[in-house]
Amino acid sequence: KAGVTQTPRYLIKTRGQQVTLSCSPISGHRSVSWYQQTPGQGLQFLFEYFSETQRNKGNFPGRFSGRQFSNSRSEMNVSTLELGDSALYLCASSLAAGVGYEQFFGPGTRLTVL
Amino acid sequence: ELKVEQNPLFLSMQEGKNYTIYCNYSTTSDRLYWYRQDPGKSLESLFVLLSNGAVKQEGRLMASLDTKARLSTLHITAAVHDLSATYFCGGGGADGLTFGKGTHLIIQP
């Protein structure tokens, strides 16, 4: 069974630009969560999608948004990039919504903002 | 809001020794997770602890959960170099999984 896939794996952008990251969950998984990992703040929850609906959102500004498609694939978008957005963005999928279901993480997208 | 605190944050130990990583959390959590992360890699699920008194073992790693004390531990027995990694514990709440800062473990020959 294929794992969670994320594209692209690496990305370099400049301040003010916007970026879209993609996540394909494990087949059969309907929930996708996004996390940001930085050396200073550690792992922080961004949002969770289930059945194309945002179920939860972490404490991030509105520049961070996401969506989920009918095939459970998810994208997250960051607009007006700032230097502090440089991070590893991890996507995790689970069978259903809520942390009661084990989350399986993808390899991540490393975003560098110059 | 769930808060998760791990200690120690950094641990250097010799092969063959035993040690324990502690994970304290602030409020009720549906369950407690342990993940491993190698440098430049993603998170690998190690254990899911469901209820008070739960104990799980895989090889040289054993995890336990005490919900009354709001404490989980990850015990390493007779450490080997391959266990060098960063270990995260995480708990469930309304805001998705909340993780500790991670314990950076180095096991030296």
Side-chain angles (χ1 to χ4, degrees):
Chain A
K1 203 174 196 181
V4 179
T5 58
Q6 291 186 247
T7 57
R9 294 291 312 278
Y10 302 91
L11 207 47
I12 299 175
K13 293 285 187 178
T14 56
R15 278 181 301 173
Q17 286 187 310
Q18 76 165 28
V19 67
T20 299
L21 311 181
S22 181
C23 172
S24 293
I26 292 171
S27 177
H29 284 196
R30 297 173 60 198
S31 176
V32 173
S33 297
W34 289 88
Y35 296 85
Q36 181 196 64
Q37 186 177 28
T38 60
Q41 298 299 317
L43 275 159
Q44 293 184 286
F45 171 74
L46 279 157
F47 25 65
E48 178 187 21
Y49 285 87
F50 177 72
S51 293
E52 301 177 63
T53 302
Q54 187 181 90
R55 193 171 171 273
N56 285 309
K57 184 172 166 57
N59 189 24
F60 279 83
R63 300 185 297 108
F64 291 82
S65 63
R67 60 178 175 168
Q68 187 181 34
F69 302 95
S70 58
N71 61 358
S72 296
R73 190 177 69 85
S74 177
E75 289 181 347
M76 69 162 280
N77 185 77
V78 188
S79 62
T80 319
L81 283 166
E82 300 176 0
L83 294 178
D85 296 333
S86 294
L88 180 67
Y89 289 89
L90 292 163
C91 159
S93 79
S94 56
L95 277 171
V99 294
Y101 292 89
E102 187 175 3
Q103 295 189 8
F104 297 87
F105 284 80
T109 294
R110 185 163 295 282
L111 172 64
T112 302
V113 182
L114 302 176
Chain B
E1 180 188 341
L2 176 67
K3 294 189 188 302
V4 178
E5 192 173 302
Q6 277 182 248
N7 67 84
L9 297 183
F10 182 81
L11 177 59
S12 179
M13 55 193 291
Q14 288 185 314
E15 280 191 328
K17 300 289 187 184
N18 304 330
Y19 209 80
T20 300
I21 300 170
Y22 298 89
C23 175
N24 291 275
Y25 56 97
S26 59
T27 64
T28 303
S29 174
D30 291 339
R31 50 191 64 188
L32 200 292
Y33 298 86
W34 284 96
Y35 287 87
R36 166 181 173 152
Q37 186 176 40
D38 292 295
K41 305 286 186 179
S42 187
L43 276 71
E44 174 192 353
S45 179
L46 294 174
F47 301 108
V48 181
L49 302 170
L50 304 178
S51 59
N52 189 43
V55 177
K56 289 197 173 180
Q57 182 162 6
E58 180 73 34
R60 300 173 188 275
L61 300 178
M62 183 175 71
S64 66
L65 178 63
D66 181 344
T67 56
K68 292 179 182 176
R70 294 179 183 160
L71 171 69
S72 180
T73 60
L74 180 66
H75 186 74
I76 303 152
T77 302
V80 292
H81 178 69
D82 285 352
L83 290 179
S84 296
T86 300
Y87 293 85
F88 292 91
C89 65
D95 299 328
L97 274 177
T98 299
F99 287 95
K101 293 284 188 188
T103 296
H104 184 51
L105 174 64
I106 296 177
I107 299 169
Q108 301 178 18

